[in-house]
Amino acid sequence: MPFKKMAQTYSASINAVTLGTGDKAVTMGGNNVDAFCSFDAPIANKALIGFEITDKGIDATLPKLAAAFEGCTTVAQQAARAAELPGVDFVSIRFESADPNGADMSVEDCVALAKEVAEATDAPLCFQGCKNFDKDAKIFEAVASALQGKNALFLSAREENYKTVAASVGMAYGQKFGAESAVDINLAKQLNVLIGQMGIQNNGYVMNLGTAAAGYGYEYLLSTIDRVRAAALGQGDAQLQLPIITPCAGDCWGVKEALTEESEAPEWGSREERGIQMEIATAANVLGAGSDAIIVGHPDSAATLSAFVAAMM
């Protein structure tokens, strides 16, 4: 008896969220099919790839990365160069130095940097905080106000500061934001419910379900993304029908495989190549689990993952 393929189709779909403006605008989500399953139904919008640059600039100790940004002396110039890299759909700036327990970069300086970046490139922009709840809320409010009309994405609104971030970024200034939870489907849904109770429609923000590098609690992240997608599409759970973004760069380049110098572990080979491999392995599986966008920090990673997405469409 011949095999008859049955398409896995869903009546529900993921909400579409647009970032940026004009010809450079990109859309996350909008699909009603499992990741890369174009044989079941058409994929409306491909997975997006963002490139991360911190306020400290690029790591000049990585030869290939430094070569890609040769001649760029400011973060704004690096952002403009990043937007031109093969496979990059949007640029993300992380205010790493804003941490009050670190350099404590001022909110005013963060705003000034954001303005410089916005003037240097017309690519869609994403801004990440320093993971201090109070400081991030202040930074996001100020930057969202200064860049009103840019339709930028701010990562992230968490349980501790979602009221401030959602109200200022989303409601007052019409920007997009991420709802960040700690690798748990129940926490993700609870946060979405709370944001919805503020009157914010679920096509005005995305979900950040957490991050992890491959081998570092990674299986929990993948299973959470998979469960969220199954509930959103298979069960029609409207509270989870939001695009998912996964920032991979910080975690992938912060583990020992990407930090240990070759002189300390010559058998491991090039530190830069190890970091690239960690980033590709992490991001590719995140995309396969159902994430609609990832953020990486190396041109080779972005190019490889872009080719991967195109081949899987």
Side-chain angles (χ1 to χ4, degrees):
M1 185 176 181
F3 171 74
K4 183 178 181 181
K5 181 183 179 299
M6 299 295 291
Q8 176 65 65
T9 58
Y10 301 102
S11 58
S13 62
I14 304 303
N15 296 326
V17 174
T18 300
L19 308 179
T21 60
D23 295 340
K24 296 293 183 68
V26 293
T27 300
M28 290 175 58
N31 300 308
N32 67 337
V33 63
D34 290 319
F36 302 131
C37 292
S38 56
F39 44 80
D40 283 336
I43 296 176
N45 297 299
K46 75 176 187 69
L48 302 179
I49 296 172
F51 195 95
E52 177 179 296
I53 295 174
T54 79
D55 55 62
K56 295 179 180 180
I58 59 108
D59 184 351
T61 66
L62 302 176
K64 294 171 74 173
L65 180 63
F69 289 89
E70 184 177 5
C72 298
T73 58
T74 68
V75 172
Q77 291 174 345
Q78 291 169 0
R81 179 71 58 81
E84 299 172 353
L85 293 173
V88 172
D89 298 299
F90 64 95
V91 177
S92 179
I93 304 298
R94 180 156 61 93
F95 297 115
E96 182 180 4
S97 301
D99 188 348
N101 296 315
D104 198 18
M105 180 179 179
S106 70
V107 172
E108 292 74 20
D109 285 343
C110 291
V111 171
L113 177 59
K115 286 182 176 179
E116 291 174 6
V117 169
E119 291 172 359
T121 178
D122 58 356
L125 297 176
C126 171
F127 295 97
Q128 299 182 66
C130 62
K131 299 184 178 181
N132 178 281
F133 308 134
D134 294 334
K135 187 69 173 288
D136 283 353
K138 294 175 182 176
I139 292 171
F140 293 161
E141 180 175 7
V143 173
S145 174
L147 300 186
Q148 193 167 3
K150 289 294 184 180
N151 198 27
L153 173 64
F154 293 78
L155 300 180
S156 295
R158 290 169 285 188
E159 183 180 1
E160 296 83 356
N161 65 4
Y162 78 91
K163 290 183 179 179
T164 302
V165 174
S168 59
V169 172
M171 299 177 75
Y173 302 117
Q175 313 268 24
K176 303 301 193 302
F177 64 91
E180 181 179 349
S181 51
V183 197
D184 186 294
I185 185 173
N186 296 314
L187 293 178
K189 183 171 181 176
Q190 175 182 304
L191 182 56
N192 292 347
V193 169
L194 293 173
I195 291 172
Q197 289 174 348
M198 296 177 64
I200 298 175
Q201 300 298 313
N202 58 5
N203 61 355
Y205 66 103
V206 303
M207 288 188 291
N208 174 5
L209 299 174
T211 59
Y216 291 83
Y218 187 57
E219 64 274 16
Y220 295 105
L221 174 61
L222 293 184
S223 64
T224 299
I225 295 174
D226 185 63
R227 290 181 64 197
V228 168
R229 273 292 175 262
L233 294 177
Q235 300 171 23
D237 191 332
Q239 300 295 344
L240 295 173
Q241 290 170 349
L242 293 97
I244 298 172
I245 186 170
T246 308
C248 299
D251 282 72
C252 290
W253 289 95
V255 297
K256 65 180 181 180
E257 289 83 355
L259 290 174
T260 303
E261 295 293 344
E262 188 174 357
S263 59
E264 299 177 31
E267 68 277 11
W268 285 7
S270 164
R271 178 170 77 91
E272 185 170 25
E273 292 300 327
R274 279 184 266 126
I276 295 168
Q277 292 167 11
M278 174 63 76
E279 199 164 50
I280 291 172
T282 298
N285 283 286
V286 164
L287 292 171
S291 189
D292 299 282
I294 48 95
I295 300 175
V296 296
H298 197 285
D300 285 12
S301 303
T304 300
L305 290 162
S306 176
F308 169 70
V309 169
M312 293 295 288
M313 290 289 286

